[in-house]
Amino acid sequence: MSPHIPQIAVVEQHSLVRLGLENLLSGSSLLRVVALAADPTDLPEPAVQRLDVIVYGAPAQPDPSLATTVDALAAIGRVLVVADFAGWQPVTEALRSGAFGCVSKQAGEQELLRAAETVALGGLYVASGLATRLHHELRRPAGAPVPALAHREQEALRLLATGLTHGQIARRMGLTEATVNTYVKRIRNKLNVRNKADLTRKAIELGLLHDNGRGVPAGALASGYSPAA
């Protein structure tokens, strides 16, 4: 009897990204792509009955329905979430909702492929660039209030944390420097921080910046995984 090859589906609303994921995953001898869909509800019924893994490309903006969607997909297969992971606690939220893996949309092709293969083998995988983020989320007290930054505030914080001045941020975002100053004041008040180092740390926690450390993915549970690969 030939060994079972995991059946995988790709759920991604953007057609070019969806086709790119299909092409990448089809290059693995350990996986077989059997379904493509723009939305979870578009998955064909015959494919749903035999899915092992679902690669779910979450919307670019923070999605309040992420947990609900992951929970529904987890009922028909192991879910690998590919997302920007902006906002508070989306990595832990995805895992608590039943996901077996989380990979940033900024991840390289090899890491994404390794994540899919790890999940297909029954392992748990958190991309190396999300390790610091996950650590901060897990340390956050249960029930702690979640600060909500507007999209433009998130962008200003990201640029500030990369080292740009208020004037440079204003030019980059097409705003006046006075408006950027107002954004930064709001950000400091919402996040309760006062210095640049704390702002940068918060940007990392929010997923606006990605840690350069390799970290050890939770997917080390899978056989054959090597952090140096």
Side-chain angles (χ1 to χ4, degrees), residues 43-129:
L43 285 170
E45 189 62 33
V48 165
Q49 295 175 4
R50 64 180 191 275
L51 286 177
D52 295 297
V53 180
I54 303 162
V55 175
Y56 173 54
Q61 298 301 320
D63 182 8
S65 66
L66 175 66
T68 302
T69 302
V70 172
D71 181 66
L73 290 174
I76 56 177
R78 293 187 290 273
V79 182
L80 171 62
V81 179
V82 182
D84 285 331
F85 292 106
W88 286 101
Q89 298 182 317
V91 180
T92 49
E93 180 181 15
L95 295 174
R96 285 171 179 154
S97 300
F100 273 71
C102 294
V103 176
S104 167
K105 286 189 174 180
Q106 287 73 41
E109 293 182 358
Q110 290 306 307
E111 177 156 49
L112 180 58
L113 188 58
R114 183 162 61 236
E117 291 176 347
T118 297
V119 172
L121 292 171
L124 179 69
Y125 193 103
V126 176
S128 55

Side-chain angles (χ1 to χ4, degrees), residues 177-215:
E177 190 167 346
T179 300
V180 172
N181 290 339
T182 299
Y183 280 174
V184 173
K185 287 179 182 177
R186 289 178 186 168
I187 293 167
R188 290 180 186 275
N189 288 334
K190 286 182 178 182
L191 301 182
N192 193 28
V193 297
R194 294 292 175 264
N195 59 54
K196 179 70 176 296
D198 284 342
L199 281 172
T200 301
R201 178 173 56 81
K202 290 293 186 181
I204 293 174
E205 292 178 15
L206 285 165
L208 303 177
L209 294 178
H210 293 282
D211 184 15
N212 289 327
R214 285 187 58 81

